[in-house]
Every structure is written in structure tokens, then in C-alpha cells.
Amino acid sequence: MRSLKNRVKQILMIGPYGVERRGEKWKVKGVGPRSGQQFTIWEEAPGKWRANGINSAGSRKRERFPATGLAEAVEQGAALLHGEIHDPSHPQLDLSSAFDRAIRGGGGSHEHREDLYQFSGYFCFWAQTKNLTHWHELRLEHLTEYMNGLFKRGLKAKTVSHYFEPIRMASRFTAANWPEHYRNICQTLRLPRHAGRDGIYRSEDGNPSLSFEQVLDFLVWLESFETGPILIPAVLLQGICGLQLREALRLRWTDVDLREGTITIQDHPEFQERVKNEYRVRRIPLPHMVWQALRGIPKGDEKIVPYEGNDNAFAKLLKRGLRRWDEKCDIAPKDLRNTLQTHAMEHAIEEGWNTYLVDRYVGHAPKTVAERHYFGDKKGRMVEVFREHVSGKINGLIERIESAKGHKRAQPISIVPFLHGLVRG
């Protein structure tokens, strides 16, 4: 009697299968719709299992496969020998569906979701080369292999981190919604400490930036360039005012006060556009050069930058212009905004730049307790503070450059004839 009880205790139900331990192996027998199906499984090495049995076609099969535990091994063995287990509570998500459901439920701006879909597409393409189609097939070793491949391509750690954002989202999403079927495979995943760095000195390494002199030269050159009318407003906003590329492309005439000479960076929920964080929401006074240029642009287009494509397409257009202007210029379009901050930090002492106010002008968050809690940064008050300590200093700097070099200012009148042709009727 005792032996019978002990034997009964060793029989488990996993899905539509009864599982009985027999020494180091497990005998699996189907019940209900799976009656008649049976096979044996055992763990050959940690995480490495083997199944032995007669498949649905009547042939004996021996299959090896990875699994993290008994339940997963039963499911995998059954799928290999007899087809998928049709468990109505199991979503059986393929990779693209897992990404889609996680990204749609994750919130964020429309542009950010587009980036996540793009990054998830990169992973799905890679997974196809490994014959991985469903989320439950993924293992930590697959993600590590994918990560190492990205680093071998020369991608920086920050870029790899961005590529993994939708993977981490989908991993958390599936584990939270179906904990009995999925686990968070990214929970222990970490980027290697020295990933993306080889420790070799190269003079060209580092964050690139153009000087104010170079930005002014580029603006003059753009006046005769074929896509100059489209690029000039964005270069003014990025190169002179320090706006992000996306902020410049989103800016609308309703955000501009030409009487006061200010622009407002803020959410546009009607267009599903959101600013990155609360410190990106700001109103800044324009340097005179940018103010005059905006006055000369016709208002027929809703946006300041007369371009209807997406951010990536515009970035390619700007990159083409930079390379045509100077074939050695390797600055990324998004880094065109580095000019103001670089100059302010480099010349903070001799020219008296307040780098904290420059940071706030370009939308950076405060870094210290004093900056966060003790500085009076009421948004309305900050406009005049910016006018005195940031845009005013930019005005003086540009005047000195033009006076010293006889620099030809990029006159707004020169771009008006081109822009009139771009105005929508």
C-alpha cells in the first residue's frame, strides 16, 4: 500500500499530460484529447533536455532541446513529437505580436513608439536567421548572442541599450500578464561593463560639435544649396538656439511670438506629440539673428521647418547638406545642437557664461539639489533671465564673429523666394 501511495505522489499533471518520475527520467502520457500520446524526457545537462518517443506519424523520434524546467520540457517535447499544445489560456505569442502588444501598452510619444517598433524589427530580422519565431522560444543565451553581435558591429553601448529597450519591455509584459507561461528573461541581462570600448586613444573620439563660426558659414553656404530653404530654419534653431532636431521639426507658428521674439516648446496632444520631460517644456527668447530669420519666412506652412517627412528622413537630408558643405564633417544631425553648450562650457570664465542657465535654455534637467529646489525657476521669470544671460550673450558673440571676420550674415530675405514655392496653397 505504501509503495502505491509513493508512486501516486510522483505523478504530476502538466497541461493535458500526466508525468511520472522513473529514476532519472520522466514518463509522459497524454490524457483526454491527447490520449495515446506518450514519450520519455530527461535532463542530460543543466537546461539541456532530450525526448524519446513515437511521433504522430508513427516514427520513433529522439529530440534534444533547451528548457528551464520540467513543465517547459514537457511542453517542448510534446510540441516536437506531437505538435503544439492547444492551451486556450496560453497566448502563444509570436515575436512581432509580443513586441506590438508591449509597445502599444507602454505609452510614450508617437515618435518614441516608432523608434521602438524599428528596434524590435531589427531583433525580429535577426531572430529569423536563428529560426526563432515565438516568444517562448527565446532564452537568455539568445539575447546575449544578439547583444554581442551588435557590439561586434561597432555600436556604442548607448545604442545597444536603445536596441534592447523593446526587448526588455516585451519580456516584462509577457511575464506580468502570463506568469505561468512566461518569465522575464531580461531580468538578469546586463550590458558588459566595458562594452563598446577598447581603451585605445583616438584623436577623433568624443562628442563632435561645430563652432559658432562654422554654423554661420554653413548657413551662408545653405543659401545656394538646393534644399537650403528647408534646412536653414532647422539649422538656425539647432545650431544657434540648441534645440533638439525633433523639437525643431515639431515647432509650429502657433508656438512663435514674433512680437516678443520667443518660441515655446510644449506638448501637442492634437498631433500625438509629447515633450520628453517637464524641463523640455519651456519658453525661450530668440537670438536676434534667428528672430529676424523667422520674420522673413512666409507663414503658409503650419510648421516652421517646411518638411512633411519623418525625423530620420530629414536627418539624412541634413547629413547630405553637411557633407556637401564639408566632406570631412562627420557630425550627426542630432549633434548640431551641441554648439551652444560646448561654447558656453569652454568659454565660461573669460566670457562669463552661466552654464546652468544654458542647460535650462536647451531643456536639460537640474543636476543638483540647489538647482532643483532652491533656484527660483518660475517659467515666466525665466524668459527674461534667458534673455539676459543666454540669448543676449549669443547676440554679442555673433556680432563679434561677424565684425572680426567680416562674416556675411545669413539674411532672411535670401530664403524667402525659395520658401514661397514651398508654401501649400
Side-chain angles (χ1 to χ4, degrees):
M1 189 70 174
R2 178 175 297 177
S3 61
L4 179 59
K5 287 182 179 180
N6 288 340
R7 185 182 178 192
V8 170
K9 288 180 181 179
Q10 294 180 16
I11 297 178
L12 306 173
M13 288 303 300
I14 298 177
Y17 290 94
V19 183
E20 179 184 0
R21 188 179 190 104
R22 294 188 177 180
E24 298 299 320
K25 300 182 179 180
W26 296 85
K27 185 68 174 182
V28 183
K29 294 184 178 181
V31 297
R34 294 280 178 164
S35 295
Q37 297 180 2
Q38 56 181 316
F39 55 94
T40 302
I41 59 173
W42 64 96
E43 191 173 20
E44 294 184 317
K48 304 293 184 181
W49 291 72
R50 184 168 182 174
N52 183 5
I54 306 297
N55 66 9
S56 300
S59 303
R60 179 164 293 279
K61 297 277 290 184
R62 294 178 177 86
E63 300 284 353
R64 286 188 172 90
F65 54 90
T68 56
L70 177 62
E72 187 176 357
V74 171
E75 182 178 345
Q76 291 280 73
L80 289 169
L81 294 172
H82 304 291
E84 297 287 346
I85 302 175
H86 298 287
D87 181 356
S89 66
H90 196 313
Q92 294 289 342
L93 293 175
D94 57 49
L95 296 180
S96 59
S97 297
F99 283 127
D100 180 58
R101 297 180 71 163
I103 294 172
R104 282 192 291 111
S109 67
H110 174 70
E111 289 84 359
H112 184 55
R113 289 197 299 272
E114 283 188 339
D115 290 340
L116 293 176
Y117 278 119
Q118 181 179 4
F119 300 153
S120 64
Y122 296 158
F123 180 76
C124 287
F125 179 79
W126 176 87
Q128 287 179 356
T129 66
K130 306 296 180 180
N131 296 318
L132 300 170
T133 58
H134 286 73
W135 194 263
H136 70 268
E137 297 173 336
L138 293 181
R139 302 289 181 271
L140 180 61
E141 62 181 344
H142 297 138
L143 304 186
T144 303
E145 181 182 355
Y146 179 62
M147 178 190 298
N148 293 336
L150 295 177
F151 283 124
K152 286 181 180 178
R153 287 170 46 193
L155 300 184
K156 301 297 184 182
K158 186 176 181 180
T159 302
V160 174
S161 179
H162 288 326
Y163 280 19
F164 265 81
E165 185 177 355
I167 302 174
R168 294 183 188 276
M169 287 179 62
S171 182
R172 292 192 300 267
F173 177 85
T174 53
N177 284 278
W178 300 281
E180 67 278 14
H181 298 294
Y182 296 110
R183 60 188 181 87
N184 186 354
I185 56 176
C186 288
Q187 189 168 5
T188 60
L189 182 68
R190 300 290 185 273
L191 268 65
R193 183 178 179 182
H194 300 292
R197 297 193 295 115
D198 57 13
I200 305 300
Y201 174 83
R202 299 179 182 85
S203 60
E204 68 274 11
D205 285 351
N207 297 323
S209 69
L210 297 181
S211 67
F212 270 99
E213 291 90 339
Q214 290 174 312
V215 172
L216 295 177
D217 287 339
F218 183 44
L219 284 166
V220 171
W221 181 86
L222 281 174
E223 292 181 0
S224 58
F225 186 52
E226 55 188 358
T227 56
I230 297 173
L231 297 177
I232 286 176
V235 174
L236 285 165
L237 293 169
Q238 286 184 269
I240 305 298
C241 301
L243 266 66
Q244 286 184 309
L245 176 61
R246 182 167 290 175
E247 289 175 339
L249 294 179
R250 285 178 173 178
L251 199 66
R252 291 170 166 79
W253 285 111
T254 54
D255 301 318
V256 179
D257 187 336
L258 289 177
R259 185 174 64 86
E260 295 294 329
T262 63
I263 59 174
T264 304
I265 295 91
Q266 59 187 343
D267 285 354
H268 282 290
E270 67 274 24
F271 301 110
Q272 295 184 326
E273 295 175 354
R274 296 186 61 186
V275 181
K276 184 177 180 180
N277 57 52
E278 61 177 307
Y279 297 104
R280 300 283 186 183
V281 178
R282 62 200 190 278
R283 177 169 294 165
I284 60 174
L286 294 169
H288 290 158
M289 179 181 181
V290 182
W291 190 355
Q292 292 173 7
L294 294 188
R295 282 175 169 173
I297 297 177
K299 310 303 184 293
D301 209 333
E302 182 180 321
K303 294 183 178 181
I304 306 300
V305 180
Y307 188 78
E308 297 301 326
N310 60 33
D311 299 359
N312 291 332
F314 185 87
K316 292 178 180 178
L317 196 67
L318 180 53
K319 184 68 175 180
R320 189 179 305 122
L322 287 165
R323 284 291 177 85
R324 290 279 294 276
W325 167 63
D326 183 355
E327 63 180 12
K328 296 181 180 179
C329 181
D330 61 351
I331 190 171
K334 67 180 180 63
D335 291 329
L336 193 59
R337 72 186 299 248
N338 294 354
T339 297
L340 172 57
Q341 298 159 86
T342 300
H343 183 91
M345 287 188 285
E346 188 172 349
H347 301 279
I349 297 176
E350 65 267 31
E351 295 183 7
W353 287 89
N354 186 320
T355 56
Y356 167 68
L357 293 176
V358 172
D359 279 345
R360 296 299 299 275
Y361 185 87
V362 301
H364 287 174
K367 300 179 179 66
T368 67
V369 173
E371 292 172 355
R372 286 195 299 270
H373 300 292
Y374 296 103
F375 181 72
D377 62 350
K378 289 291 185 181
K379 291 188 181 297
R381 188 181 88 88
M382 291 297 288
V383 176
E384 293 307 315
V385 173
F386 289 149
R387 199 184 300 276
E388 178 182 356
H389 295 282
V390 184
S391 62
K393 294 190 73 63
I394 295 174
N395 293 336
L397 174 61
I398 291 177
E399 289 173 4
R400 292 196 301 273
I401 293 172
E402 293 177 337
S403 175
K405 298 179 60 175
H407 202 292
K408 177 179 178 295
R409 181 190 295 266
Q411 296 290 342
I413 189 64
S414 64
I415 66 174
V416 170
F418 295 96
L419 288 170
H420 273 302
L422 297 172
V423 175
R424 291 178 294 187

